[in-house]
Amino acid sequence: MQYDVIIIGAGPAGLSCAIWLKQLGVEALLLEASGIAGGLQTRSPYENLWIPGVQGKTGQQVAASLARHAADVGAKLRINAPVLSVAEGFAVTTPQEVLSARFVVVATGSTPRTGGFTPSVNLAIGPGEPMEALDVAGRQVAILGGGDNAFDQAKFVQDRGGQVTVFSRGEPRAQKLLQDRVRDVPVVIGPYDARQDDMTVNGQGFDAFGVQYGFEAVVPAGLDIRGGDGYVTVDRFGETRVPGVFACGEVTDFWHPCVTTSAAHGVQVAKQISKRLLG
Ligand SMILES: Cc1cc2nc3c(=O)[nH]c(=O)nc-3n(C[C@H](O)[C@H](O)[C@H](O)COP(=O)(O)OP(=O)(O)OC[C@H]3O[C@@H](n4cnc5c(N)ncnc54)[C@H](O)[C@@H]3O)c2cc1C
């Protein structure tokens, strides 16, 4: 099948790009690796307080609302369709088929860094759902990391009755506001030895670990579009160094800390591509 545009990744950036392309009169196909559209927002059971004009919705509700909007305008979306590679021309390979497109949009976002740990019943990687699934009430929980998510999650674990210790290799980078919310939580600063096999940190036993080592970009194979920081380098129109391959949202070297900015980037890319295709 030949498409004008294939968008890879149905997070806020990819969904917004698809919604705009459809309404601008461009036929695009959106491919999502997982079984649900909405990207990182699907991990968040917390209220999203940060989208101007949108109130009273959790991240998961925001994800559902974006997916519904895409469906309502008739944007084509395939879930459970991970893109395995993109080759010249552009040939886009999923486990089911090889598709071709004149333009490709990489909207694959980012994923929590594992730090070499493996998710399990007592070890969660990244913020949101995996942390909420940990049994923490009355238990000793080690939060590994010193950024915003580490302190945010320390507060949530504490609120659920867990005894938290934060381990940060250096001076914590988290906003003071977030650090202040857990002033009574011990923060151990300096190199530490965390072992998943016996659930110890520096020899001290814990019931659960919350690994909060930040995020890294996810880029499909076959595209040489990453910069030195691992994120996709784009120009101000969202185009990568490969002509015809665009990128938007958290996968790019633009700093996209939230739904609104990632979605806006998807919109900008949609406008650029429609101009190229339709004049
Ligand atoms: C717990 C949590 C809470 C958050 N809370 C807020 C908040 O309150 N307010 C706010 O504004 N932001 C919040 N964020 C951040 C926000 O979710 C992100 O900024 C936003 O989702 C980034 O959008 P994106 O589309 O660039 O990437 P993502 O959301 O990461 O979406 C990328 C999508 O691409 C898919 N994908 C990856 N590789 C492939 C492939 N090879 N083939 C096909 N599909 C692929 C992924 O499965 C994913 O669905 C939160 C994030 C988390 C984790």
Side-chain angles (χ1 to χ4, degrees), residues 8-14 31-34 36-41 43-51 81-84 107-111 127-129 149 153 215 218-220 248-251 256-263:
I8 309 171
L31 299 172
E32 167 56 39
S34 73
I36 183 169
L40 288 176
Q41 284 291 277
R43 291 175 60 116
S44 174
Y46 316 121
E47 187 180 356
N48 189 333
L49 302 166
W50 304 96
I51 305 177
V83 170
L84 305 176
T108 39
S110 59
T111 193
E129 275 297 326
N149 282 316
Q153 294 298 323
F215 287 77
V218 179
V219 182
C248 51
E250 282 204 358
V251 73
H256 286 298
C258 71
V259 169
T260 307
T261 51
S262 300

Side-chain angles (χ1 to χ4, degrees), residues 122-126 131 134 141-145 150 208-213:
N122 54 11
L123 188 145
I125 295 176
M131 285 297 297
L134 285 181
V141 181
I143 299 284
L144 309 180
F209 283 1
V211 178
Q212 304 298 329
Y213 286 163

Side-chain angles (χ1 to χ4, degrees), residues 110-136:
S110 59
T111 193
R113 288 201 178 90
T114 67
F117 293 99
T118 308
S120 76
V121 69
N122 54 11
L123 188 145
I125 295 176
E129 275 297 326
M131 285 297 297
E132 296 298 318
L134 285 181
D135 179 12
V136 297

Side-chain angles (χ1 to χ4, degrees), residues 15-32:
L15 283 163
S16 303
C17 187
I19 290 167
W20 272 64
L21 281 174
K22 181 69 190 175
Q23 295 186 125
L24 289 166
V26 176
E27 281 299 325
L29 175 66
L30 175 55
L31 299 172
E32 167 56 39

Side-chain angles (χ1 to χ4, degrees), residues 6-236:
I6 288 181
I7 305 163
I8 309 171
L15 283 163
S16 303
C17 187
I19 290 167
W20 272 64
L21 281 174
K22 181 69 190 175
Q23 295 186 125
L24 289 166
V26 176
E27 281 299 325
L29 175 66
L30 175 55
L31 299 172
E32 167 56 39
S34 73
I36 183 169
L40 288 176
Q41 284 291 277
T42 61
R43 291 175 60 116
S44 174
Y46 316 121
E47 187 180 356
N48 189 333
L49 302 166
W50 304 96
I51 305 177
V54 176
Q55 291 172 283
K57 284 190 177 183
T58 65
Q60 286 159 343
Q61 288 169 330
V62 168
S65 174
L66 279 165
R68 209 163 36 245
H69 191 169
D72 286 351
V73 300
K76 281 199 187 99
L77 163 69
R78 268 186 219 159
I79 56 168
N80 296 314
V83 170
L84 305 176
S85 67
V86 180
E88 253 176 65
F90 299 99
V92 177
T93 305
T94 73
Q96 296 86 17
E97 58 201 330
V98 180
L99 303 156
S100 86
R102 293 168 70 187
F103 292 90
V104 168
V105 178
V106 178
T108 39
S110 59
T111 193
R113 288 201 178 90
T114 67
F117 293 99
T118 308
S120 76
V121 69
N122 54 11
L123 188 145
I125 295 176
E129 275 297 326
M131 285 297 297
E132 296 298 318
L134 285 181
D135 179 12
V136 297
R139 304 178 87 207
Q140 295 288 334
V141 181
I143 299 284
L144 309 180
D148 285 354
N149 282 316
F151 282 83
D152 224 10
Q153 294 298 323
K155 170 78 174 133
F156 294 147
V157 169
Q158 195 182 42
D159 288 348
R160 290 197 290 133
Q163 305 291 313
V164 193
T165 307
V166 174
F167 291 88
S168 176
R169 289 191 198 286
E171 203 53 47
R173 289 163 290 108
Q175 299 167 48
K176 188 173 173 304
L177 188 81
L178 297 177
Q179 295 191 44
D180 284 347
R181 285 167 56 193
V182 285
R183 275 281 157 231
D184 50 338
V185 160
V187 180
V188 180
I189 299 172
Y192 56 80
D193 179 23
R195 295 170 182 254
Q196 185 169 7
D197 51 358
D198 62 0
M199 295 298 289
T200 59
V201 186
N202 296 340
Q204 182 185 350
F206 287 90
D207 300 306
F209 283 1
V211 178
Q212 304 298 329
Y213 286 163
F215 287 77
E216 60 191 356
V218 179
V219 182
L223 289 170
D224 180 20
I225 53 176
R226 286 183 195 251
D229 59 359
Y231 286 78
V232 176
T233 310
V234 289
D235 65 18
R236 70 191 186 91

